[in-house]
Amino acid sequence: MPETADPADPAAPAHPGDQVRTEEPVRTHVTPAGAGVVELARPAALNALDLTMVRLMTRALTAWRDDPAVRSVVVRSASPKAFCAGGDILAVRAAGMAGDDTAVRAYFTAEYGLNALIAGYPKPYTALIDGYAMGGGLGISVHGSARVVTERASLAMPETGIGFFPDIGASYFLPRLPGAFGWYLGLTGARVTGRAAVACGLGTHHVPAAGLPALEAELTGAGAADPDAVLRRFAAPPAPPAGHADAVARCFSAPGLPQVRARLAAEERQREWADDTLALLDAASPASLAITAGLLRAGADSTLEECLARELDLACRTARTADFHEGVRAALVDKDRKPAWPAQAQPERLS
């Protein structure tokens, strides 16, 4: 299914040691100070996670987890534009259209397994986000202990716009963001940048892009043993609430999609924002909106493990749907940005 060949068996013994792996789309090494460094190196695809990348990350993190020589982990990007722009949805679409359910399940099982591994990681895990971090890019960052964002960072879960739904554990973390902000992000696919990402809870620290090289040098050097102290020293002062936070809370705290739309239509204080938000909802797949609302509602009272299991079942079914095939076509194949959503009486049900 992925565009690149699978690596060797990820269960095989592996320790990246002192030598950087330069030939792979994920480069890993351990610094003399004990920082395990993961570098995403598929810039032509904005580091979109294919199965090879997922397996390479899993192999390195698994090897480092119980290695006393590794004190912390830093994840960075070799791309000047993106941390990680998402999962390999072109490959998932191709497999879904071909009826290759085995390939679809293998991809999502590996990706969600990586998300769970990061969420339960026993060592500090810091993602340095400078550029796009969307979908799968949040899956390899939000579940870690620290997410550093620069003013160039742009974070989003844009799945409803391609006929899919916020996955990678998003049904767990989105409903837990304050002020119904996760509902807003999950349903509309809206982006948050820089300090606003910290204010809403997706990021943990804001560091100007100019300070990122010095921060990385500290995290991978003398500060590897205590990354929290390093981050406190480099982080900019806390930001005010994310833009339109009051309006988001007013509108997206409604009990259902019809009520959200009604509140947006009646919004007076942030009329332009409300009109833009309604346009985002109107452009999204109606089936995806219904699925997402149900997932977020269920996820609010579920564990991460339960959310990932629910998402896995739904992802395998959604990969076969006409909405997903059409949404990816419009966004990434023909790039006309004009999906014609198929008429659908009933969206996929949650398991």
Side-chain angles (χ1 to χ4, degrees), residues 99 127 133 140 307 319:
I140 59 170
C307 287

Side-chain angles (χ1 to χ4, degrees), residues 235-260:
H244 311 295
D246 290 344
V248 168
R250 282 194 299 272
C251 297
F252 284 84
S253 60
L257 275 169
Q259 295 90 340
V260 167

Side-chain angles (χ1 to χ4, degrees), residues 8-267:
D9 181 1
H15 190 305
D18 296 329
Q19 185 175 2
V20 180
R21 295 173 180 267
T22 58
E23 75 282 2
E24 302 282 14
V26 173
R27 302 167 182 163
T28 61
H29 71 283
V30 178
T31 69
V37 179
V38 175
E39 182 178 60
L40 307 176
R42 197 185 175 211
L46 299 179
N47 291 331
L49 289 172
D50 63 13
L51 188 56
T52 296
M53 296 175 73
V54 170
R55 287 176 170 170
L56 286 169
M57 281 194 71
T58 300
R59 180 169 65 183
L61 292 174
T62 300
W64 293 342
R65 181 174 51 196
D66 300 317
D67 186 343
V70 179
R71 310 176 82 171
S72 58
V73 172
V74 175
V75 184
R76 67 180 311 278
S77 168
S79 167
K81 295 181 179 180
F83 172 74
C84 172
D88 195 0
I89 59 173
L90 283 171
V92 173
R93 176 182 185 263
M97 293 182 73
D100 191 349
D101 295 344
T102 300
V104 170
R105 181 167 290 275
Y107 176 78
F108 286 119
T109 297
E111 185 184 23
Y112 299 171
L114 175 59
N115 303 149
L117 174 63
I118 294 167
Y121 212 66
K123 299 176 182 181
Y125 178 105
T126 303
L128 303 179
I129 302 173
D130 184 32
Y132 296 116
M134 301 182 179
L138 293 186
I140 59 170
S141 56
V142 168
H143 296 298
S145 53
R147 287 87 65 192
V148 175
V149 295
T150 73
E151 70 277 11
R152 300 186 300 213
S154 181
L155 284 65
M157 291 298 299
E159 287 78 9
T160 59
I162 59 166
F164 203 64
F165 60 88
D167 61 335
I168 51 85
S171 63
Y172 177 81
F173 65 77
L174 287 178
R176 287 164 173 78
L177 297 184
F181 216 86
W183 285 80
Y184 165 60
L185 295 177
L187 289 168
T188 67
R191 299 180 184 183
V192 288
T193 59
R195 296 175 71 191
V198 177
C200 79
L202 286 181
T204 58
H205 302 80
H206 176 254
V207 175
L212 208 57
L215 171 62
E216 185 177 345
E218 284 283 329
L219 290 172
T220 59
D226 190 3
D228 287 345
V230 175
L231 292 169
R232 287 195 299 270
R233 193 164 72 249
F234 276 81
H244 311 295
D246 290 344
V248 168
R250 282 194 299 272
C251 297
F252 284 84
S253 60
L257 275 169
Q259 295 90 340
V260 167
R261 287 183 178 275
R263 291 188 187 184
L264 286 167
E267 174 65 28

